[in-house]
Amino acid sequence: TKIARCDKICSPITNSLFLGSDTIAKDSNLLKRQGITHVLNCAGTICDNYYPNEFTYKKLHLFDGSKEDIACLFYDVLEFLDD
């Protein structure tokens, strides 16, 4: 399926921002090869911060639904990304 194919892709958004799945988040070697130092975990309700001694994490407890209001998180997330 299309979702299964995308599960193993660490997609660059910019030179320093990537998007990935739980599968990617579990692969510390891949994260290191990409130069990733910070991980924004948007699925904190179901995904762990797998390597807290190797990466800086921010965990959000979001649910994947149309009624999830994330506007209140923008400034906090932007501050984390600027770190």
Side-chain angles (χ1 to χ4, degrees):
T1 68
K2 188 175 185 178
I3 291 175
R5 281 195 317 265
C6 294
D7 188 54
K8 297 176 181 151
I9 298 172
C10 185
S11 302
I13 305 301
T14 69
N15 288 338
S16 60
L17 181 64
F18 295 84
L19 178 66
S21 67
D22 186 55
T23 301
I24 299 299
K26 289 178 182 175
D27 190 339
S28 69
N29 291 325
L30 173 67
L31 298 174
K32 289 175 186 174
R33 280 195 312 272
Q34 295 294 338
I36 293 170
T37 59
H38 289 60
V39 176
L40 178 62
N41 179 354
C42 294
T45 57
I46 59 171
C47 298
D48 291 328
N49 293 344
Y50 297 108
Y51 306 101
N53 295 326
E54 298 178 48
F55 303 98
T56 302
Y57 286 88
K58 179 158 194 67
K59 184 186 272 193
L60 304 177
H61 296 89
L62 301 177
F63 295 94
D64 190 10
S66 61
K67 298 194 188 285
E68 185 77 45
D69 182 11
I70 62 171
C72 63
L73 303 171
F74 288 169
Y75 289 110
D76 198 30
V77 167
L78 288 172
E79 186 175 308
F80 176 74
L81 294 175
D82 282 342
D83 237 0

